[in-house]
Amino acid sequence: MTLIVILVFLMLITLIAVSVINRMQERQRERRLQQRRLRVQADELGEVVNCLEQTIPNRVITKHVNDMIIELQGQMLALEDKNPEHIEAAIRKSELHSEELLNPQTRQPISYQRESDAQIAKTQLHLNEAMHLITQLAARGVVNEVELETYLSELRWAYLMVSVMSYVGQGDKSMAISDRFSAQAFYRKAQQLLMESMHQDPRRLKMIKELSEMVDGDRVSLSRELQVPTSAALKLH
């Protein structure tokens, strides 16, 4: 009888131990799953940051998105219970990147032009995501209403310009090989996008006018200030 009691007791201890181990393993799996989700989100934001760095002149917008990566990495670090060193190194790298974004000496060339429809679509997808992220930051109070309006206007302008300037670039290439007919078609496509847009940036009307002159052969290229991405102070209506 005593042996049976001991065996039952040992079985109970074993079952409890197994249950505790299973719970610990389940928590560990859940932690890893959460970390993977956060890592995927951080990687996706990293693609947005790379796109913004190559496309828009206002690097404050890019820094806001990069700071969101730092937040996600901080959440990953809080979930790490074994080897936090690699996450800490990633956070330091992201923090350094945010500092570099505000340093005018570390600026890289930017352009609205893309070489293919696929590149245009991918860039515009990232610009759309940036608008969504900036709106989220405004809801959290990180960005005020004036900043939100300005940032969204700049991102919308960039969204438009990616298509417009890519068409203009294709038109310029056609002109370089004396294919005036194709060049005119590209310039008209760019002009049509501008005419369909309701964006309030004053450069839009000037660009429409100059493209008409390019189609007519009275101008060989857009004005320099229209070709280079600039973060002008916009009067929003």
Side-chain angles (χ1 to χ4, degrees):
M1 185 66 182
T2 302
L3 181 59
I4 295 175
V5 171
I6 293 173
L7 289 174
V8 171
F9 180 75
L10 290 175
M11 288 177 60
L12 290 173
I13 293 295
T14 301
L15 289 173
I16 292 172
V18 169
S19 178
V20 170
I21 292 172
N22 286 339
R23 284 199 298 270
M24 291 175 61
Q25 290 177 338
E26 181 61 31
R27 284 197 295 268
Q28 188 70 8
R29 283 194 294 269
E30 181 61 29
R31 255 198 315 269
R32 295 304 178 198
L33 179 60
Q34 290 180 38
Q35 282 187 321
R36 283 196 293 271
R37 289 171 178 166
L38 292 168
R39 188 175 296 109
V40 168
Q41 292 178 47
D43 289 345
E44 291 173 348
L45 291 187
E47 292 185 10
V48 175
V49 167
N50 289 335
C51 171
L52 296 180
E53 281 189 277
Q54 299 170 22
T55 310
I56 65 172
N58 189 344
R59 304 216 304 181
V60 175
I61 298 174
T62 310
K63 181 182 181 299
H64 276 305
V65 179
N66 195 69
D67 288 345
M68 295 180 79
I69 295 176
I70 297 173
E71 289 182 21
L72 292 173
Q73 291 171 331
Q75 295 175 39
M76 290 167 59
L77 182 61
L79 291 168
E80 183 58 49
D81 61 347
K82 291 183 179 179
N83 301 302
E85 292 80 10
H86 67 289
I87 301 178
E88 291 170 345
I91 291 174
R92 287 193 296 271
K93 182 178 179 181
S94 297
E95 289 174 341
L96 179 61
H97 195 186
S98 277
E99 293 176 8
E100 290 174 343
L101 285 169
L102 297 184
N103 184 351
Q105 296 181 346
T106 63
R107 286 187 177 275
Q108 60 175 300
I110 57 176
S111 173
Y112 291 133
Q113 289 190 14
R114 297 296 184 268
E115 296 300 321
S116 67
D117 290 342
Q119 289 181 11
I120 292 172
K122 185 175 182 180
T123 298
Q124 291 179 329
L125 180 67
H126 289 324
L127 290 170
N128 263 337
E129 179 62 17
M131 289 184 235
H132 177 67
L133 295 169
I134 290 298
T135 302
Q136 285 184 345
L137 292 177
R140 290 164 48 188
V142 177
V143 172
N144 64 43
E145 287 299 318
V146 174
E147 291 170 331
L148 174 64
E149 192 173 6
T150 300
Y151 295 162
L152 290 180
S153 181
E154 292 193 40
L155 289 166
R156 291 186 186 112
W157 178 251
Y159 185 100
L160 173 63
M161 285 298 99
V162 166
S163 292
V164 169
M165 293 308 299
S166 294
Y167 281 135
V168 171
Q170 291 297 318
D172 291 344
K173 289 179 181 178
S174 296
M175 286 297 289
I177 58 174
S178 301
D179 185 356
R180 180 169 175 76
F181 180 79
S182 295
Q184 287 177 319
F186 283 121
Y187 294 149
R188 287 194 180 99
K189 285 182 179 180
Q191 187 182 50
Q192 185 64 33
L193 289 173
L194 289 163
M195 293 173 66
E196 291 173 354
S197 172
M198 299 300 292
H199 202 288
Q200 298 299 314
D201 192 299
R203 290 172 290 185
R204 183 176 67 88
L205 294 178
K206 184 176 182 180
M207 194 174 290
I208 290 173
K209 179 177 180 296
E210 291 193 5
L211 282 169
S212 290
E213 295 170 355
M214 290 168 68
V215 170
D216 294 338
D218 298 329
R219 173 183 285 273
V220 296
S221 65
L222 292 173
S223 300
R224 175 65 179 170
E225 65 270 18
L226 297 180
Q227 297 183 46
V228 179
T230 55
S231 184
L234 306 178
K235 292 182 179 180
L236 304 176
H237 302 283

